Amino acid sequence: MHAGDVVETAIAGECSPDLHLVIAALPYPVFLYAPDGVVAAANPAAERMAGTSLAGFTVGRVIDTLAIRHPDGTPLAPDELPAARALAGQAVLACPLTVRSADGNVFAVRASSSPLVRGGVVVGVLSTWPDITDLAGALDDEQRRRGEAEAHARRQEAIAKTLAQQKEALRDSEQRVRRTLERLLSPGEEFADLELSDILDLPVLQELVEEFHRLSGVPASIIDLHGKILAGAGWQACCTQFHRVHPETCRNCVESDLELSAGIAPGESRLYRCRNHMWDIATPIMLGERHVGNVFSGQFFFEDEEPDLDLFRAQARRYGFDEAAYIAALRAVPRLKRETVEAGMAFLRRLAGLISSQGYSNLRLARALVERDALAASLERNRALLARAQEIAHLGSWELDLATNSLSWSDEVYRVFGLSPQEFRATYEAFLDAVHPEDRNAVDDAYAGSLREGRDAYEIEHRVLRRPTGEVRWVHERCEHQRDEAGRIVRSIGMVHDITTRKLAEMELHRKNEDLGAQNEELQAQEEELRVQAEDLGRLNADLSFQRDLLDTIFETLPHEISVWEQSGRYVWLNRRVARELDRSRDELIGKTWQEIGLDPDAMEPLMAEVGRVCATGEPSASETVQPSPDGARWQRRTVNRLPAGDCVVAVSTDITEWKGAELALRDYAERLRASNEELQRFAYVASHDLQEPLRSIVSFSQLLDRRYRGRLGADADDYLGYIVEGGRRMQALILDLLQVSRIETDAKPLAPTETGAILAGVVRTLETSISEADGRVVVDPLPTVLADPSQLELVFTNLIGNALKYRRPDIPPVIRISAEREGTLWRFAVEDNGIGIDPEYFERIFVMFQRLHTREQYDGTGIGLAIVKKIVERHGGQVWVESSPGTGSTFLFTLPAL
Ligand code: ADP
């Protein structure tokens, strides 16, 4: 069992012996209370603690005996004891208490009390007090700390409360002071509700009146219109202990102070008896026009008068004053000489005057100061507003004093110029320095000019070079001059408007306008171009239709059948000749395939195969066909070409039957000519070859006759023999030459790469004797290898060099130069001499066989050499010609194919 629970159990005495034993054995105090709150039993531990038997003790006595306290030391009320609460039916658990034992030790216990209930009725209480001193120590510490913390918090709270009160009081006082100050200083107010106390330094005045009283013995005080005494000295006991104490007499005092002192002119004073029958003197204190208080001197008797003591006694009785004390107080009232009072009064009048004038003046001054400050603040505000307005409008102002050359700028001007007041010297020259260099002269001229010409104003737009960035700004300046009485300009005032944005926009507009202008011009040029092109197009159209008509006519006139085919075998276009051939109109044919038209597949299929091939490869084709016809064979030539458009071809068929006949005839003729030529050549060869033999006999026998019978047959016979021999020799030479000519074809060898240089070296060697006899010189340039018949090439050079030697000029040794130059696929050879030259009219003729330009007497020869040269060169596929001027020399030129 343990305390704390509500237990249905037996009360002491009714407990079982075992339970008693248990309770007795517990090491801490245990109590059993009867329902009436009296200790029914306590265990030995409890009795040890109390030092006495506790049985029969009431709750209160238990508390007293054991000095039971709350842990914080406060005494416990009887109904706070856990046992008392348990008796009321409430179980109490571990309630901390302190208990003092009989030997004076203090224990900490945790008391738990449980009602013992039977049948729903509390029949007793079980209380247990386990000793928790050690624990309580710790708890006490904590308790103490908590207590300290709480006490601290309470102190804090109290301080905070005091502070709040003080703050509140301070705020009240502040508000009061502020209100007063505002009243004092607000310029609109005419001091109407100012109190006298508001304007006086009361401690100083108090000292003053005290000093005055000490020196003069005249009591004095300063009282406002409500009767409030603001400063005073020399107050009499009759006043302070009697008149001002009793309400009625006090009212008399105040009424006297207020009413009897009313209406006194400023600077004057009034002597009167107060309602308490004492003398008073008052002089007003004015605040401007307003009466705000009085300087009083009073509560005295004149030296030369006897106070009416009966009156005062009656007054004492009337107001219940202690008559003896009152009279004694009256006797103590100063009795002043009239001069003293008068002198004191004069002083006090002055004092009142001084307070009035000084107070008022001070107030005026203070207000003036406030007004000045307000004006200054308002001025500053306006200046700031102006600066801001200037900043917003980008509008600055400046002023130049011409006498001092001092220039002042508004903030915005500094901003526009990118300068700070520190770095700017504020002179006209410094200003000019900030102007853009290119505009500086114009700006200076504008200003100086306006001064020179005495104009009142001028305006100018110019640029400013902003320091330190070098940014360029545009400004518009307007300047006005101010004059003195004599009309001289003494000051210039100007406005500077930053118009950069507008200016840039204008420039941009201008640029765009120019662009537009340029674009316009370009457009016009394009229009003109278009017009010209349209005209050209018109002309071209006309041209085109003319050309179409022309082509149409040509196509119709041409002896060809022209048709344009799609690869699919569809007619795209055809000329009338085709339509006629097919016996249809063109419209019936164009756009249709040959199958749709029903053309003969045997004729068309080969054509279509050709069309397909040409379309695919782009290679043109040409073919000839022959068809039998009643008039004999009919020949047709057909060409097929792909059109640039792609899968279309143009087929052109031409009837070449006639041409074919002519060609065949020509071929036949050529063949016959070749045969005849061959025959002729054979004949020439045979003739020259065969003629040689009889001619040789004729020549040798003639020579024999000549040798044997010269001088014997008569002179004529000698001549005749000589002619015969000569004729025979010439005939031999002619026949040899002829044989050579005929051999060009008959003995011809195939062309082979031939070194011209080597050939020429052989020729020069062969002709060496002739060259040296003629005292000649042959110069040979480097020569190429060509495709040639070497022996024939040798013949060419032999003939040409031989002629050059033969037709030399008698007076000049012959110089012959052989050279070669490449010309495309050919080499061009030149054999140049410095001989007699040839008249151009014979340039052709000299290449003809047997053609000579000289007689045999002049130059020996047969006239065949150049003909041989020509024939050989032509056989090699080249050409030969001569360039010459008579008397200077000739150049024989010929070409041979290059390798
Ligand atoms: P030939 O020399 O036997 O008369 P060619 O056929 O060699 O016959 O020459 C024909 C003619 O061309 C010559 O008679 C001569 O008048 C002229 N001729 C040829 N070569 C030269 C030359 N190198 N200078 C001047 N005349 C020339």
Side-chain angles (χ1 to χ4, degrees):
M1 146 186 181
H2 59 88
D5 295 336
V6 176
V7 192
E8 289 258 343
T9 183
I11 190 61
E14 293 178 27
C15 298
S16 73
D18 292 348
L19 187 59
H20 274 291
L21 280 176
V22 170
I23 292 170
L26 285 173
Y28 50 77
V30 177
F31 304 85
L32 268 170
Y33 288 89
D36 57 359
V38 170
V39 175
N43 72 347
E47 303 215 321
R48 253 194 322 277
M49 181 182 271
T52 179
S53 165
L54 292 161
F57 278 39
T58 60
V59 167
R61 209 169 150 201
V62 171
I63 291 171
D64 287 345
T65 309
L66 288 163
I68 302 172
R69 299 260 190 285
H70 289 292
D72 62 0
T74 53
L76 207 67
D79 58 354
E80 284 179 327
L81 190 71
R85 284 151 65 192
L87 281 166
Q90 179 191 357
V92 179
L93 201 60
C95 171
L97 297 171
T98 63
V99 196
R100 196 176 60 225
S101 68
D103 52 13
N105 289 325
V106 175
F107 296 91
V109 299
R110 282 277 160 92
S112 296
S113 295
S114 303
L116 303 171
V117 181
R118 184 191 291 152
V121 178
V122 176
V123 293
V125 160
L126 175 71
S127 263
T128 58
W129 287 10
D131 179 1
I132 52 148
T133 309
D134 293 343
L135 183 66
L139 285 170
D140 278 353
D141 280 352
E142 198 204 320
Q143 194 75 28
R144 187 169 43 71
R145 274 199 299 280
R146 197 179 304 151
E148 280 170 7
E150 279 168 6
H152 185 69
R154 275 197 297 280
R155 267 200 310 281
Q156 292 272 57
E157 205 175 314
I159 290 169
K161 205 163 158 191
T162 314
L163 269 177
Q165 281 164 355
Q166 284 176 355
K167 223 158 116 187
E168 188 64 24
L170 198 66
R171 200 168 55 238
D172 283 354
S173 132
E174 256 178 25
Q175 277 172 354
R176 240 184 357 264
V177 169
R178 194 179 318 117
R179 271 199 300 277
T180 306
L181 269 177
E182 277 170 3
R183 276 206 315 277
L184 277 172
L185 300 177
S186 64
E189 300 282 333
E190 249 317 303
F191 312 127
D193 53 353
L194 277 181
E195 299 292 343
L196 185 54
S197 56
D198 291 336
I199 60 165
L200 294 183
D201 186 346
L202 294 177
V204 172
L205 272 178
Q206 180 62 36
E207 274 175 30
L208 193 72
V209 292
E210 276 171 10
E211 195 69 9
F212 169 72
H213 175 250
R214 198 173 57 76
L215 291 172
S216 63
V218 178
S221 55
I222 295 168
I223 300 175
D224 71 10
L225 287 190
H226 306 292
K228 188 174 170 195
I229 301 158
L230 304 177
W235 285 92
Q236 300 303 306
C238 68
C239 273
T240 55
Q241 290 171 18
F242 297 97
H243 295 158
R244 294 264 169 190
V245 174
H246 193 280
E248 209 164 319
T249 47
C250 182
R251 197 166 54 246
N252 283 343
C253 287
V254 173
E255 276 175 13
S256 299
D257 291 347
L258 298 181
E259 286 168 24
L260 298 176
S261 59
I264 311 170
E268 295 197 351
S269 57
R270 178 182 294 160
L271 175 69
Y272 60 88
R273 268 186 200 280
C274 77
R275 295 222 166 104
N276 291 324
H277 307 291
M278 308 286 286
W279 282 111
D280 275 342
I281 305 173
T283 184
I285 300 173
M286 307 296 290
L287 193 58
E289 298 294 310
R290 198 159 64 86
H291 183 200
V292 290
N294 295 299
V295 176
F296 284 94
S297 171
Q299 312 302 288
F300 61 83
F301 294 118
F302 284 110
E303 195 183 43
D304 56 4
E305 69 175 352
E306 199 53 49
D308 184 353
L309 291 178
D310 290 341
L311 179 77
F312 288 112
R313 279 195 191 94
Q315 201 158 270
R317 281 194 298 281
R318 186 170 159 201
Y319 297 119
F321 297 153
D322 177 342
E323 195 176 311
Y326 183 53
I327 295 299
L330 283 173
R331 285 192 197 288
V333 167
R335 298 167 73 89
L336 301 174
K337 287 193 179 123
R338 287 192 184 267
E339 307 89 75
T340 310
V341 170
E342 192 47 49
M345 234 14 255
F347 173 79
L348 292 177
R349 273 199 304 276
R350 273 228 188 76
L351 177 68
L354 203 67
I355 292 171
S356 299
S357 64
Q358 289 288 304
Y360 189 62
S361 302
N362 280 343
L363 277 176
R364 297 275 303 266
L365 183 64
R367 282 196 177 175
L369 285 174
V370 167
E371 276 172 11
R372 190 201 65 187
D373 290 349
L375 272 175
S378 140
L379 206 62
E380 180 53 33
R381 246 189 340 271
N382 284 341
R383 205 196 62 75
L385 273 174
L386 184 65
R388 180 75 189 120
Q390 288 196 352
E391 186 184 342
I392 291 168
H394 299 304
L395 189 70
S397 56
W398 56 267
E399 198 173 320
L400 176 64
D401 187 323
L402 270 73
T404 59
N405 187 26
S406 68
L407 182 63
S408 62
W409 277 3
S410 74
D411 294 351
E412 184 56 18
V413 183
Y414 281 106
R415 253 193 302 280
V416 172
F417 279 66
L419 289 165
S420 71
Q422 296 76 28
E423 64 183 311
F424 184 62
R425 276 175 290 119
T427 62
Y428 176 70
E429 289 71 27
F431 151 72
L432 265 190
D433 197 41
V435 172
H436 193 287
E438 288 172 18
D439 296 348
R440 213 167 275 156
N441 282 343
V443 171
D444 193 24
D445 285 354
Y447 183 67
S450 72
L451 288 181
R452 209 172 38 245
E453 292 158 21
R455 274 185 282 131
D456 285 335
Y458 74 91
E459 291 182 44
I460 188 169
E461 280 186 8
H462 67 86
R463 286 166 294 173
V464 164
L465 202 56
R466 220 175 191 178
R467 308 271 161 75
T469 55
E471 183 195 348
V472 173
R473 309 285 304 175
W474 278 92
V475 296
H476 174 259
E477 295 232 24
R478 181 179 159 72
C479 168
E480 282 181 12
H481 300 307
Q482 286 188 345
R483 299 166 188 275
D484 61 7
E485 296 79 26
R488 281 189 303 267
I489 295 174
V490 290
R491 180 177 288 105
S492 305
I493 297 172
M495 301 298 293
V496 181
H497 191 191
D498 187 338
I499 54 164
T500 309
T501 316
R502 193 198 79 199
K503 201 76 188 172
L504 290 178
E506 270 177 16
M507 288 196 296
E508 177 66 11
L509 202 67
H510 184 69
R511 199 182 56 69
K512 281 189 172 151
N513 261 344
E514 279 184 348
D515 282 1
L516 268 176
Q519 281 175 10
N520 215 8
E521 275 175 22
E522 210 168 296
L523 269 175
Q524 277 175 1
Q526 283 177 1
E527 245 172 50
E528 178 60 21
E529 176 78 2
L530 272 175
R531 201 184 54 73
V532 170
Q533 282 184 4
E535 276 179 9
D536 282 357
L537 209 67
R539 266 196 301 279
L540 271 175
N541 251 342
D543 245 23
L544 207 67
S545 73
F546 168 75
Q547 292 199 4
R548 204 180 43 230
D549 292 349
L550 188 68
L551 275 175
D552 226 30
T553 315
I554 291 170
F555 284 142
E556 296 312 330
T557 323
L558 280 174
H560 305 298
E561 289 172 18
I562 304 170
S563 48
V564 179
W565 289 97
E566 262 181 15
Q567 197 176 357
S568 57
R570 190 183 302 279
Y571 268 118
V572 177
W573 186 87
L574 42 89
N575 68 352
R576 289 200 181 81
R577 199 175 280 272
V578 179
R580 263 200 309 278
E581 190 62 31
L582 297 174
D583 202 16
R584 312 272 173 97
S585 74
R586 289 169 81 198
D587 293 343
E588 281 175 282
L589 300 170
I590 291 175
K592 303 229 171 57
T593 61
W594 61 270
Q595 293 98 332
E596 287 165 350
I597 300 163
L599 298 179
D600 176 13
D602 289 343
M604 293 311 292
E605 273 163 6
L607 172 64
M608 286 305 127
E610 206 175 335
V611 167
R613 212 166 35 247
V614 172
C615 269
T617 63
E619 288 292 322
S621 78
S623 56
E624 287 179 7
T625 52
V626 60
Q627 277 168 355
S629 87
D631 325 330
R634 196 171 162 215
W635 283 89
Q636 273 222 317
R637 179 179 170 75
R638 183 167 67 210
T639 56
V640 179
N641 281 280
R642 191 169 71 177
L643 287 178
D647 61 350
C648 281
V649 296
V650 56
V652 178
S653 295
T654 315
D655 188 331
I656 55 165
T657 311
E658 276 179 33
W659 182 83
K660 206 70 189 171
E663 188 197 58
L664 289 176
L666 201 64
R667 204 181 288 164
D668 183 48
Y669 175 72
E671 183 54 33
R672 275 190 281 134
L673 194 66
R674 194 189 55 76
S676 142
N677 261 351
E678 266 178 19
E679 185 122 340
L680 208 61
Q681 232 156 25
R682 234 182 352 264
F683 166 74
Y685 178 78
V686 171
S688 50
H689 188 266
D690 291 357
L691 274 175
Q692 271 189 331
E693 197 46 46
L695 197 54
R696 204 177 297 124
S697 304
I698 290 168
V699 170
S700 51
F701 283 109
S702 302
Q703 283 173 332
L704 194 64
L705 264 181
D706 188 38
R707 268 196 311 269
R708 284 192 187 171
Y709 298 103
R710 178 159 288 269
R712 282 191 271 169
L713 295 177
D716 285 349
D718 287 350
D719 286 345
Y720 296 153
L721 276 174
Y723 293 148
I724 291 169
V725 171
E726 175 60 21
R729 283 216 185 102
R730 275 195 57 221
M731 179 69 85
Q732 272 186 317
L734 272 173
I735 284 172
L736 273 175
D737 281 351
L738 265 177
L739 196 61
Q740 224 168 26
V741 173
S742 67
R743 274 182 181 155
I744 290 171
E745 291 296 334
T746 50
D747 291 0
K749 297 198 175 60
L751 307 186
T754 306
E755 276 186 44
T756 333
I759 300 283
L760 207 80
V763 171
V764 171
R765 256 196 316 279
T766 311
L767 293 174
E768 206 171 304
T769 319
S770 314
I771 294 168
S772 59
E773 274 173 11
D775 199 15
R777 192 154 57 92
V778 178
V779 181
V780 182
D781 282 359
L783 296 176
T785 300
V786 293
L787 205 59
D789 177 340
S791 54
Q792 288 189 347
L793 194 56
E794 193 182 328
L795 202 55
V796 167
F797 281 121
T798 307
N799 271 315
L800 292 177
I801 295 170
N803 277 352
L805 288 171
K806 183 163 52 172
Y807 299 107
R808 66 177 178 270
R809 273 182 283 167
D811 47 340
I812 293 181
V815 178
I816 304 150
R817 182 187 195 94
I818 296 103
S819 61
E821 230 175 86
R822 179 81 186 230
E823 265 189 358
T825 55
L826 300 169
W827 280 100
R828 194 189 64 187
F829 290 84
V831 179
E832 183 185 352
D833 64 41
N834 56 347
I836 60 168
I838 304 162
D839 196 315
E841 74 172 291
Y842 304 119
F843 280 0
E844 300 284 328
R845 199 166 134 191
I846 54 172
F847 291 100
V848 179
M849 212 181 283
F850 304 126
Q851 292 293 332
R852 302 199 69 223
L853 302 182
H854 307 279
T855 59
R856 267 187 298 119
E857 284 69 33
Q858 290 171 300
Y859 295 98
D860 188 22
T862 54
I864 278 183
L866 289 181
I868 291 172
V869 167
K870 188 171 193 268
K871 209 164 160 63
I872 291 174
V873 168
E874 282 176 353
R875 187 204 153 213
H876 282 73
Q879 281 179 313
V880 63
W881 67 101
V882 67
E883 289 169 1
S884 175
S885 53
T888 308
S890 312
T891 304
F892 283 85
L893 298 126
F894 63 93
T895 54
L896 288 178
L899 268 181

Tab-separated table of all heavy atoms in Angstrom, residues 706 710 717-727:
chain	number	residue	atom	x	y	z
A	706	ASP	N	81.057	15.182	-183.263
A	706	ASP	CA	81.664	16.511	-183.025
A	706	ASP	C	83.168	16.379	-182.839
A	706	ASP	O	83.953	17.170	-183.405
A	706	ASP	CB	81.034	17.120	-181.762
A	706	ASP	CG	81.436	18.572	-181.540
A	706	ASP	OD1	81.543	19.325	-182.547
A	706	ASP	OD2	81.603	18.972	-180.348
A	710	ARG	N	84.885	17.642	-186.319
A	710	ARG	CA	84.897	19.119	-186.151
A	710	ARG	C	85.935	19.726	-187.072
A	710	ARG	O	87.057	19.218	-187.175
A	710	ARG	CB	85.222	19.473	-184.677
A	710	ARG	CG	85.305	20.956	-184.460
A	710	ARG	CD	85.119	21.334	-182.996
A	710	ARG	NE	83.776	21.179	-182.530
A	710	ARG	CZ	82.849	22.125	-182.559
A	710	ARG	NH1	83.130	23.280	-183.078
A	710	ARG	NH2	81.649	21.889	-182.078
A	717	ALA	N	78.312	23.109	-190.099
A	717	ALA	CA	78.108	21.781	-189.524
A	717	ALA	C	78.619	21.727	-188.096
A	717	ALA	O	77.998	21.118	-187.233
A	717	ALA	CB	78.820	20.708	-190.376
A	718	ASP	N	79.738	22.432	-187.818
A	718	ASP	CA	80.262	22.450	-186.437
A	718	ASP	C	79.219	23.034	-185.488
A	718	ASP	O	78.935	22.484	-184.411
A	718	ASP	CB	81.567	23.289	-186.360
A	718	ASP	CG	82.773	22.553	-187.006
A	718	ASP	OD1	82.608	21.339	-187.322
A	718	ASP	OD2	83.832	23.179	-187.134
A	719	ASP	N	78.646	24.167	-185.921
A	719	ASP	CA	77.612	24.801	-185.071
A	719	ASP	C	76.427	23.850	-184.832
A	719	ASP	O	75.935	23.699	-183.700
A	719	ASP	CB	77.076	26.081	-185.728
A	719	ASP	CG	78.106	27.238	-185.632
A	719	ASP	OD1	79.079	27.093	-184.815
A	719	ASP	OD2	77.905	28.270	-186.286
A	720	TYR	N	76.013	23.203	-185.941
A	720	TYR	CA	74.820	22.366	-185.832
A	720	TYR	C	75.082	21.221	-184.881
A	720	TYR	O	74.210	20.892	-184.051
A	720	TYR	CB	74.418	21.787	-187.195
A	720	TYR	CG	74.009	22.882	-188.191
A	720	TYR	CD1	74.142	22.678	-189.590
A	720	TYR	CD2	73.485	24.086	-187.741
A	720	TYR	CE1	73.788	23.676	-190.497
A	720	TYR	CE2	73.153	25.066	-188.651
A	720	TYR	CZ	73.285	24.887	-189.987
A	720	TYR	OH	72.964	25.830	-190.864
A	721	LEU	N	76.334	20.685	-185.025
A	721	LEU	CA	76.661	19.585	-184.111
A	721	LEU	C	76.613	20.076	-182.668
A	721	LEU	O	76.071	19.420	-181.775
A	721	LEU	CB	78.071	19.008	-184.409
A	721	LEU	CG	78.090	17.957	-185.531
A	721	LEU	CD1	79.541	17.557	-185.867
A	721	LEU	CD2	77.358	16.681	-185.085
A	722	GLY	N	77.203	21.263	-182.491
A	722	GLY	CA	77.191	21.863	-181.131
A	722	GLY	C	75.763	21.999	-180.620
A	722	GLY	O	75.466	21.675	-179.476
A	723	TYR	N	74.815	22.491	-181.446
A	723	TYR	CA	73.399	22.646	-181.033
A	723	TYR	C	72.791	21.298	-180.662
A	723	TYR	O	72.039	21.198	-179.670
A	723	TYR	CB	72.572	23.264	-182.166
A	723	TYR	CG	72.954	24.746	-182.474
A	723	TYR	CD1	72.854	25.251	-183.816
A	723	TYR	CD2	73.396	25.586	-181.456
A	723	TYR	CE1	73.205	26.570	-184.112
A	723	TYR	CE2	73.753	26.904	-181.776
A	723	TYR	CZ	73.643	27.399	-183.053
A	723	TYR	OH	73.980	28.665	-183.333
A	724	ILE	N	73.173	20.296	-181.513
A	724	ILE	CA	72.573	18.983	-181.246
A	724	ILE	C	73.009	18.493	-179.862
A	724	ILE	O	72.175	18.039	-179.060
A	724	ILE	CB	72.985	17.947	-182.329
A	724	ILE	CG1	72.309	18.320	-183.659
A	724	ILE	CG2	72.544	16.521	-181.931
A	724	ILE	CD1	72.845	17.528	-184.876
A	725	VAL	N	74.338	18.611	-179.604
A	725	VAL	CA	74.843	18.135	-178.302
A	725	VAL	C	74.161	18.893	-177.158
A	725	VAL	O	73.660	18.317	-176.200
A	725	VAL	CB	76.395	18.291	-178.235
A	725	VAL	CG1	76.902	18.002	-176.815
A	725	VAL	CG2	77.049	17.357	-179.203
A	726	GLU	N	74.090	20.215	-177.319
A	726	GLU	CA	73.499	21.068	-176.285
A	726	GLU	C	72.045	20.701	-176.040
A	726	GLU	O	71.596	20.520	-174.914
A	726	GLU	CB	73.658	22.543	-176.711
A	726	GLU	CG	72.980	23.563	-175.796
A	726	GLU	CD	73.492	23.535	-174.383
A	726	GLU	OE1	74.623	23.039	-174.131
A	726	GLU	OE2	72.720	23.945	-173.451
A	727	GLY	N	71.327	20.572	-177.179
A	727	GLY	CA	69.893	20.226	-177.077
A	727	GLY	C	69.721	18.884	-176.402
A	727	GLY	O	68.827	18.719	-175.555
